[in-house]
């Protein structure tokens, strides 16, 4: 006699929360302050590194533009952050103690010296005062540039916001690529075609990394990829991908055409804005529906039980 097979009497059901209420609060950061802070800081960091490399390779126009963008972008980033915090003293309080385990604390200690070094380098470049000090400050800002491009992504990934937390390994790649294309965009608009060769190549490489990272956000995170594909965030990120691709194609003609360079630069900068606002909107959206919190947690527990 063959053994009887047991079967479940109740079919699996989709997750439902208590009255559908959110489990997490929406991020308390303000818009457009924080998305602008993310964009400006990234563009400033990439521009500082480009300026330092341009200074070493004898491209004075590119170095000058990079230093000005790094200084202006970082100072504007500080203004956006302070406006979000409400009081300048709250930003200063974050500098009282360095906590290596806190991305916000480490980020504050990256942003502050970077802004100072970038401002000194830009002032020296414009006025000609203390050129050696200006070059040293520019080199220091260039060294901090990669950290400026990515620390905000680490900060978002360290939160409990589902679509940011689950993307903790992808956001730094996206932000780095977007920062470099934004820095390249500012340079393509301002630098003569004779000096923009390295900028074009950097923009193309960064655009490829950015597009791959965005594709992973939209398809590779399971359920929490959904906010990146739908609603306001989906529209912004779709626009960002189109603008990045357009900027990359137009940049191929930037060595021969000033108009193409300006158009490519504008597309890259617009893409950077759409990317930051899109990622922020996706994070906010993922806090509104409890399924983005509970379902990934259950999936992780199931994987642990199987291993």
């Amino acid at each position: 006699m063959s053994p009887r097979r047991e079967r479940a009497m109740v079919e699996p059901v989709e997750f439902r929360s208590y009255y559908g209420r959110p489990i997490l609060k929406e991020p308390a950061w303000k818009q457009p302050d924080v998305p602008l802070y993310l964009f400006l800081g990234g563009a400033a960091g990439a521009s500082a590194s480009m300026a330092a490399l341009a200074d070493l390779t004898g491209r004075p126009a590119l170095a000058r533009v990079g230093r000005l963008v790094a200084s202006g972008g970082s100072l504007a980033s500080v203004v956006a952050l302070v406006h979000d915090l409400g009081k300048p003293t709250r930003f200063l309080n974050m500098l009282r103690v360095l906590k290596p385990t806190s991305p916000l604390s480490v980020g504050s200690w990256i942003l502050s010296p970077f802004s100072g070094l970038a401002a000194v380098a830009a002032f020296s470049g414009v006025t000609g005062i203390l050129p050696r000090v200006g070059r040293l400050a520019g080199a220091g800002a260039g060294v901090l540039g990669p950290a400026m491009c990515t620390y905000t992504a680490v900060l978002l990934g360290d939160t409990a916001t589902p679509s940011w937390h689950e993307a903790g390994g992808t956001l730094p790649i996206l932000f780095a690529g977007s920062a470099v294309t934004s820095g390249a965009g500012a340079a393509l608009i301002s630098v003569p075609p004779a000096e923009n060769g390295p900028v074009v190549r950097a923009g193309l490489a960064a655009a490829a990394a950015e597009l791959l990272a965005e594709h992973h956000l939209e398809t590779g995170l399971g359920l929490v990829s959904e906010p990146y594909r739908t609603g306001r965030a989906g529209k912004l990120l779709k626009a960002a991908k189109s603008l990045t691709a357009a900027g990359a194609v137009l940049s191929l003609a930037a060595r021969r055409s000033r108009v193409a360079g300006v158009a490519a630069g504008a597309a890259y900068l617009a893409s950077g804005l759409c990317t930051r606002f899109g990622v922020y909107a996706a994070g906010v959206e993922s806090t509104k529906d409890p399924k983005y919190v509970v379902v990934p947690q259950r999936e992780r527990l199931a994987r642990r039980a199987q291993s």
Side-chain angles (χ1 to χ4, degrees):
M1 185 174 182
S2 59
R4 297 172 60 186
R5 293 183 179 179
E6 295 183 358
R7 64 178 182 178
M9 299 300 294
V10 181
E11 296 295 328
V13 296
E14 293 184 359
F15 166 74
R16 294 179 182 177
S17 70
Y18 184 70
Y19 289 112
R21 292 182 178 180
I23 295 174
L24 298 174
K25 292 183 179 180
E26 291 185 22
W29 299 324
K30 300 174 185 174
Q31 296 193 63
D33 296 347
V34 170
L36 284 175
Y37 158 69
L38 302 176
F39 166 73
L40 292 166
S47 296
S49 296
M50 288 182 185
L53 292 172
D55 197 35
L56 291 174
T57 56
R59 293 179 171 86
L62 179 56
R64 178 186 175 89
V65 168
R67 287 172 179 170
L68 289 172
V69 174
S71 176
S74 61
L75 292 176
S77 178
V78 171
V79 170
L81 178 59
V82 169
H83 187 265
D84 175 70
L85 294 172
K87 296 180 181 179
T89 52
R90 291 177 180 170
F91 176 72
L92 296 176
N93 285 337
M94 291 191 292
L95 300 174
R96 294 175 61 185
V97 178
L98 173 61
K99 296 181 179 179
T101 57
S102 168
L104 183 60
S105 175
V106 174
S108 301
W109 280 85
I110 292 171
L111 177 59
S112 298
F114 176 88
S115 301
L117 291 169
V120 169
F123 176 79
S124 176
V126 170
T127 63
I129 297 174
L130 300 174
R132 185 172 297 178
V133 173
R135 291 190 69 180
L136 287 172
V143 170
L144 290 174
M148 279 288 293
C149 294
T150 55
Y151 87 86
T152 50
V154 177
L155 191 154
L156 294 183
D158 194 55
T159 67
T161 302
S163 286
W164 294 343
H165 183 77
E166 297 295 325
T170 306
L171 286 178
I173 299 172
L174 175 65
F175 277 30
S178 180
V180 173
T181 54
S182 297
L188 286 168
I189 290 173
S190 310
V191 174
E195 292 191 20
N196 68 15
V199 173
V200 171
R201 292 190 291 272
L204 290 172
E210 183 181 347
L211 291 171
L212 287 172
E214 285 184 351
H215 179 72
H216 186 261
L217 286 183
E218 295 173 354
T219 62
L221 302 177
L223 181 64
V224 294
S225 282
E226 190 174 87
Y228 290 108
R229 299 192 304 267
T230 58
R232 180 169 177 264
K235 293 177 182 177
L236 285 167
L237 291 173
K238 183 177 180 179
K241 288 190 293 184
S242 299
L243 287 164
T244 297
V249 172
L250 288 166
S251 72
L252 296 174
R255 298 297 303 277
R256 302 183 301 275
S257 169
R258 179 72 169 161
V259 174
V262 172
Y268 275 154
L269 288 169
S271 171
L273 280 168
C274 288
T275 296
R276 297 316 197 283
F277 276 88
V279 167
Y280 190 86
V284 171
E285 191 63 29
S286 71
T287 63
K288 295 179 179 179
D289 193 328
K291 70 180 181 182
Y292 297 126
V293 179
V294 176
V295 172
Q297 289 178 346
R298 290 180 175 177
E299 290 174 347
R300 284 194 293 270
L301 289 173
R303 286 195 296 268
R304 290 175 187 172
Q306 292 174 358
S307 61

